[in-house]
């Protein structure tokens, strides 16, 4: 009964001083909003990452080249690029050769399902009559389809013969089929198209169509018509187009039961043997799961940092609440005196002002939560990740703002409760 | 049958700044008896100790020496929370400056003492309406104090003072902030409550004319009772 009356009273006094109440709540609002926003974004990214991880295969290992630093061991964590201005470009001589990779496959045949290699030829357009489709042409090994979980909707992958011979056969996206063949997949299969890439023309025969999936991390600003999709040809075809033979990077799909992290280490040391004499580059191998790990680690660091800032905002906000409660109590000294004369026990007066402080904090908390969810959702949307506000952080925020209310409201409330009724009644 | 003693004060002394060179004896031994249904005035100039006496009568303060029984309860030895309960149940205050709670309507203001007296909601509203009707404010239930005139505010305050049906109504210069016409109205209301409801009323004032209207006049000077006589009791 008294609690309800007190909440009503608190709302009244807030309504009477709207601007003051809002300013008081600001610290709480900012603190709670930033916590909720970062939690929402963090949640979305974590959900997205683990989603991507399962689609890309957590058991994949990416092997690449890394610039050696002078007089310094290159560490795996040192994925940063050397010093500024010291960047060297890996040349054909530095690349992994076909033999290296084949030997590696033989050595670790028990652990490897497939090797995925991608050789980029370039971006360009397929044109025919008035029709066009933007594409990016790259050569891939058969393992690529396995490693990237490509969803083939029509046709087939490359045959062994096509792979070995480097024939110009292509697997295109459904977008290309939409643009060039009116979406008629039957008509598209077996058709030959001309692709213009960097002023060179390539003609390929379509053998397969895959379903294009929007890349979740990119900003897709182009219209449906202009989307650039990958066109895959056999690796050898791309290499002959590029006049290259080595691989700058490849992905290893491991067999189930193989620990990707330790296998990445053995892979790295295996290839290190080949690069001892190379002054500029060293191989590096890292697993998908370690990437995810480092990403979540980074996220939790950011979350912690923002939480600390939010904590400071909440502390300042709490002090603001205490300050305004002290002002409010001084202003209402006569009211307190009157209430005491009417028979209010000290505990009732204390309760009244603690409730008022809690109400301020909880309203601030609720506004903060709403703002935080909005900000978090906007940020998550910008990153194309689904917004997932965390229920637990909302509940924790509410409890926490209540706690701030009690903690910073207690001193002023106690001061009010201990006022001498005679003095308080006489207060001008 | 003898009438019941509502206030029984013996040898009340009140000293301030005890133990310091500034020690001040404001009340120097006061005996007062007030019987149920009486309308008594306590008169004195400022500095006479009138306010201090009122605070003690109203259980806002304890005497340094002496005994005080209010409606058979010993105030001298009561603890703080007991004093709160005594104020709530036995005393109805009427202040010079009304002291209604701001931004709270007339009805809620009258309900306030019952709220602290833990009367349930429905009874509270009923009783508050009844009291506001007695003081002639039944058509201003939802008005805020800011929307009422001085006389109206004082009538709401009088209704509030009667909320828990206290043993005494303690009115401290109730007409002090009002013009003579509204002051008259408030005084008439006290007479009405005294006659029709049989309320025990203690009026504290510095005005001899107002005091003259009551049944008994106690004059206080320099912390001592200097005179006690019958008032006219009439209502002009």
């Amino acid at each position: 009964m008294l609690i309800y009356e007190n909440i009503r009273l608190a709302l009244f006094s807030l309504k009477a001083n709207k601007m003051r109440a809002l300013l008081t709540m600001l610290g709480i609002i900012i603190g709670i909003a930033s916590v909720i926003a970062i939690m929402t974004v963090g949640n979305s990214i974590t959900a997205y990452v683990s989603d991507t991880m399962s689609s890309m295969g957590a058991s994949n290992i990416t092997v690449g080249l890394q610039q050696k630093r002078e007089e310094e061991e290159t560490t795996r964590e040192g994925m940063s690029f050397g010093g500024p201005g010291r960047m060297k470009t890996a040349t054909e001589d530095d690349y992994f050769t076909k033999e290296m990779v084949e030997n590696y496959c033989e050595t670790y045949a028990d652990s490897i399902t497939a090797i995925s290699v991608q050789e980029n030829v370039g971006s360009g357009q397929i044109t025919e009559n008035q029709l066009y489709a933007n594409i990016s042409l790259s050569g891939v090994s058969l393992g690529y389809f396995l490693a990237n979980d490509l969803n083939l909707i029509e046709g087939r992958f490359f045959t062994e013969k096509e792979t070995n011979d480097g024939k110009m056969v292509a697997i295109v996206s459904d977008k290309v089929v939409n643009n060039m063949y009116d979406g008629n997949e039957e008509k598209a299969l077996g058709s030959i198209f001309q692709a213009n890439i960097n002023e060179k023309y390539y003609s390929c025969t379509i053998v397969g169509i895959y379903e294009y999936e929007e890349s979740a991390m990119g900003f897709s600003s182009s219209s449906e018509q202009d989307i650039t999709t990958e066109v895959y040809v056999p690796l050898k075809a791309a290499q002959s187009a590029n006049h290259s033979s080595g691989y700058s990077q490849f992905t290893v799909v491991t067999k189930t039961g193989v620990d990707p992290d330790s296998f990445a280490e053995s892979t790295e040391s295996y290839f290190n043997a080949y690069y001892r004499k190379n002054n500029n580059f060293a191989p590096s191998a890292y697993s998908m799961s370690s990437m995810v790990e480092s990403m979540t680690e980074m996220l939790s660091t950011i979350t912690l940092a923002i939480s600390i800032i939010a904590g400071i905002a909440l502390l300042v906000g709490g002090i603001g609440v205490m300050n305004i409660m002290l002002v409010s109590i001084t202003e209402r000294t006569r009211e307190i005196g009157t209430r005491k004369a009417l028979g209010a026990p000290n505990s009732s007066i204390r309760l009244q002002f603690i409730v008022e402080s809690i109400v301020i904090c909880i309203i601030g908390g609720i506004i903060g939560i709403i703002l935080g969810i909005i900000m978090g959702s906007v940020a998550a949307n910008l990153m194309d990740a689904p917004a997932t506000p965390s229920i637990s952080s909302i509940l924790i925020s509410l409890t926490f703002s209540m706690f701030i209310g009690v903690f910073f409201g207690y001193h002023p409330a106690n001061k009010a409760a201990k006022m001498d009724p005679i003095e308080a009644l006489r207060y001008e | 049958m003898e009438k019941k003693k509502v206030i029984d004060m013996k040898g009340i002394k009140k000293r301030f700044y005890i133990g310091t060179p500034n020690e001040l004896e404001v009340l120097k031994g006061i005996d007062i008896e007030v019987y149920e249904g009486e309308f008594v005035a306590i008169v004195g100039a400022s500095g006479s100790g009138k306010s201090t006496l009122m605070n003690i009568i109203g259980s806002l303060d304890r005497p340094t020496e002496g005994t005080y029984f209010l409606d058979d309860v010993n105030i001298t030895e009561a603890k703080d929370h007991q004093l709160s309960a005594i104020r709530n149940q036995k005393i109805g205050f009427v202040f010079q400056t009304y002291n209604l709670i701001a931004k709270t309507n007339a009805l809620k203001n009258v309900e306030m003492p019952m709220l602290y007296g833990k009367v349930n909601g429905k009874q509270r509203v009923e009783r508050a309406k009844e009291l506001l009707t007695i003081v002639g404010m039944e058509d201003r239930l939802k008005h805020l104090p800011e929307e009422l005139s001085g006389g109206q505010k004082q009538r709401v305050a009088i209704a509030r003072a009667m909320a828990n049906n206290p043993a005494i109504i303690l009115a401290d210069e109730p007409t002090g902030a009002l013009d003579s016409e509204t002051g008259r109205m408030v005084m008439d209301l006290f007479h009405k409550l005294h006659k029709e409801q049989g309320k025990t009323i203690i009026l504290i004032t510095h005005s001899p004319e107002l005091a003259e209207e009551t049944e008994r006049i106690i004059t206080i000077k320099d912390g001592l009772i200097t005179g006690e006589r019958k008032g006219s009791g009439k209502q002009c």
Side-chain angles (χ1 to χ4, degrees):
Chain A
M1 176 187 80
L2 264 174
I3 293 272
Y4 163 76
E5 281 297 319
N6 281 329
I7 292 174
R8 196 186 60 85
L9 272 170
L11 290 175
F12 260 170
S13 77
L14 288 189
K15 232 166 74 186
N17 289 304
K18 283 194 203 78
M19 189 66 186
R20 191 163 89 180
L22 188 73
L23 289 175
T24 310
M25 290 173 192
L26 211 56
I28 310 266
I29 293 176
I30 291 172
I32 300 278
S34 42
V35 171
I36 297 289
I38 195 65
M39 290 288 187
T40 306
V41 174
N43 255 15
S44 308
I45 292 181
T46 315
Y48 169 75
V49 165
S50 57
D51 196 47
T52 319
M53 197 173 99
S54 58
S55 79
M56 284 171 67
S59 53
N60 290 358
I61 292 171
T62 306
V63 186
L65 286 173
Q66 204 171 27
Q67 194 171 351
K68 277 183 180 165
R69 292 192 209 159
E70 277 163 59
E71 307 295 316
E72 213 180 306
E73 263 270 300
T74 317
T75 56
R76 257 214 302 151
E77 282 74 19
M79 278 196 278
S80 54
F81 308 101
R86 290 180 170 280
M87 281 289 289
K88 292 193 180 90
T89 321
T91 61
E92 196 65 33
D93 299 335
D94 300 314
Y95 287 166
F96 301 109
T97 63
K98 203 163 180 248
E99 289 74 42
M100 281 187 218
V101 176
E102 270 167 11
N103 286 340
Y104 165 70
C105 282
E106 264 170 47
T107 317
Y108 293 105
D110 290 347
S111 311
I112 298 171
T113 307
I115 301 273
S116 154
V117 187
Q118 185 174 16
E119 170 100 18
N120 209 32
V121 178
S123 299
Q125 249 184 5
I126 305 176
T127 46
E128 199 180 320
N129 303 329
Q130 299 294 312
L131 302 169
Y132 72 94
N134 292 330
I135 58 145
S136 160
L137 189 69
S138 52
V140 294
S141 70
L142 276 175
Y144 179 88
F145 301 114
L146 203 63
N148 289 281
D149 211 10
L150 209 68
N151 186 12
L152 201 66
I153 46 178
E154 202 70 49
R156 57 173 173 83
F157 292 116
F158 311 131
T159 62
E160 193 104 345
K161 191 170 176 346
E162 283 163 350
T163 313
N164 291 338
D165 295 355
K167 279 192 122 179
M168 286 303 269
V169 287
I171 295 174
V172 299
S173 69
D174 48 354
K175 301 278 174 209
V176 171
V177 177
N178 283 342
N179 285 1
M180 304 302 297
Y181 305 101
D182 263 349
N184 186 339
E185 285 154 2
E186 311 279 302
K187 195 176 139 196
L189 282 178
S191 299
I192 297 173
F193 64 83
Q194 293 276 333
N196 175 2
I197 286 156
N198 300 334
E199 306 294 311
K200 279 194 211 157
Y201 284 89
Y202 301 93
S203 48
C204 312
T205 313
I206 299 175
V207 296
I209 299 160
Y210 71 91
E211 190 183 7
Y212 173 74
E213 271 176 47
E214 237 174 285
S215 105
M217 273 302 187
F219 297 87
S220 45
S221 53
S222 49
S223 70
E224 191 82 346
Q225 170 77 34
D226 290 330
I227 280 175
T228 302
T229 61
E230 295 274 345
V231 168
Y232 300 111
V233 295
L235 179 65
K236 202 163 176 193
Q239 285 183 328
S240 57
N242 283 357
H243 307 293
S244 67
S245 60
Y247 318 137
S248 62
Q249 191 184 6
F250 60 88
T251 305
V252 182
V253 183
T254 56
K255 286 205 165 126
T256 43
V258 176
D259 174 31
D261 284 332
S262 60
F263 189 59
E265 271 171 45
S266 359
T267 302
E268 196 171 292
S269 54
Y270 176 85
F271 282 103
N272 257 329
Y274 289 100
Y275 281 84
R276 217 154 269 148
K277 291 216 181 76
N278 191 319
N279 290 328
N280 299 326
F281 289 94
S284 77
Y286 48 90
S287 65
M288 222 35 232
S289 60
S290 74
M291 269 179 84
V292 169
E293 231 167 74
S294 62
M295 190 152 177
T296 32
E297 217 167 272
M298 192 181 78
L299 260 176
S300 58
T301 314
I302 294 176
T303 309
L304 184 72
I306 293 194
S307 301
I308 290 171
I309 295 170
I312 294 170
L314 285 176
L315 182 72
V316 173
I319 294 170
V321 169
M322 176 144 91
N323 184 30
I324 221 69
M325 289 306 296
L326 287 169
V327 170
S328 164
I329 279 157
T330 311
E331 277 178 357
R332 285 152 73 185
T333 303
R334 268 180 94 87
E335 179 191 322
I336 294 164
T338 308
R339 283 175 184 277
K340 288 196 157 193
L342 296 180
N346 292 356
S347 58
S348 291
I349 303 282
R350 191 181 298 122
L351 185 69
Q352 179 190 341
F353 287 101
I354 287 183
V355 167
E356 184 165 328
S357 159
I358 292 177
V359 167
I360 292 178
C361 290
I362 285 192
I363 291 178
I366 290 172
I367 297 176
I369 287 169
I370 294 170
L371 273 182
I373 290 176
I374 293 173
M375 292 196 302
S377 306
V378 169
N381 268 341
L382 281 179
M383 289 187 285
D384 259 333
T388 39
S390 119
I391 302 294
S392 63
S393 65
I394 289 172
L395 291 179
I396 290 172
S397 301
L398 271 183
T399 323
F400 196 64
S401 24
M402 201 166 112
F403 172 76
I404 291 177
V406 176
F407 188 80
F408 288 101
Y410 185 82
H411 169 68
N414 206 33
K415 198 180 153 188
K418 286 192 173 151
M419 276 183 189
D420 175 12
I422 300 167
E423 297 284 320
L425 276 170
R426 214 184 281 151
Y427 185 86
E428 289 299 327
Chain B
M1 201 180 83
E2 201 183 317
K3 275 205 168 178
K4 191 185 162 200
K5 256 189 226 173
V6 191
I7 289 177
D8 186 3
M9 274 186 168
K10 279 198 181 71
I12 293 289
K13 289 186 182 178
K14 180 71 186 177
R15 284 190 286 270
F16 291 103
Y17 315 115
I18 294 165
T20 73
N22 293 340
E23 185 168 316
L24 187 68
E25 192 169 58
V26 179
L27 299 180
K28 296 166 181 166
I30 288 192
D31 304 330
I32 295 178
E33 285 175 355
V34 176
Y35 293 89
E36 196 172 18
E38 263 194 307
F39 192 173
V40 183
I42 296 175
V43 204
S46 47
S48 58
K50 185 177 55 160
S51 297
T52 308
L53 180 60
M54 188 207 80
N55 288 338
I56 290 172
I57 294 175
S59 333
L60 289 164
D61 208 350
R62 290 187 201 82
T64 317
E65 254 177 60
T67 55
Y68 170 25
F69 284 87
L70 171 64
D71 204 17
D72 299 330
V73 180
N74 189 351
I75 303 296
T76 332
E77 285 163 10
K79 298 212 163 52
D80 270 359
H81 68 273
Q82 289 167 321
L83 285 184
S84 293
I86 289 162
R87 288 198 294 270
N88 186 246
Q89 294 299 319
K90 311 240 177 241
I91 298 161
F93 284 95
V94 178
F95 301 98
Q96 180 175 3
T97 48
Y98 332 120
N99 285 6
L100 297 180
I101 306 294
K103 290 167 189 113
T104 305
N105 67 36
L107 194 67
K108 291 274 176 199
N109 258 293
V110 178
E111 279 183 52
M112 193 98 30
M114 294 186 268
L115 191 71
Y116 293 122
K118 299 202 163 49
V119 179
N120 78 42
K122 216 172 162 194
Q123 276 179 294
R124 235 158 50 208
V125 176
E126 253 167 49
R127 172 93 176 127
K129 280 184 181 161
E130 188 188 313
L131 290 167
L132 283 164
T133 310
I134 293 174
V135 300
M137 291 291 290
E138 65 273 20
D139 52 350
R140 298 277 197 280
L141 300 182
K142 299 285 173 189
H143 281 60
L144 300 178
E146 300 88 298
E147 297 161 357
L148 298 174
S149 72
Q152 290 173 326
K153 279 189 227 183
Q154 199 57 297
R155 281 192 276 162
V156 174
I158 292 168
R160 182 177 67 181
M162 296 189 291
N164 284 332
N165 203 13
I168 53 167
I169 291 175
L170 190 57
D172 178 22
E173 302 276 9
T175 61
L178 299 171
D179 58 60
S180 56
E181 205 175 314
T182 35
R184 184 68 258 147
M185 238 162 58
V186 166
M187 279 311 287
D188 289 348
L189 181 58
F190 279 122
H191 285 295
K192 181 182 152 198
L193 294 176
H194 173 232
K195 291 218 172 86
E196 291 175 13
Q197 312 260 330
K199 299 280 174 204
T200 314
I201 300 169
I202 298 173
L203 175 72
I204 288 151
T205 180
H206 65 274
S207 150
E209 297 96 72
L210 285 184
E212 205 58 48
E213 292 180 22
T214 64
E215 297 172 336
R216 187 150 64 99
I217 303 161
I218 298 168
T219 313
I220 171 169
K221 197 182 174 194
D222 293 332
L224 286 168
I225 291 177
T226 54
E228 191 170 337
R229 62 188 171 87
K230 281 213 151 98
S232 67
K234 71 160 192 223
Q235 187 178 331
C236 37

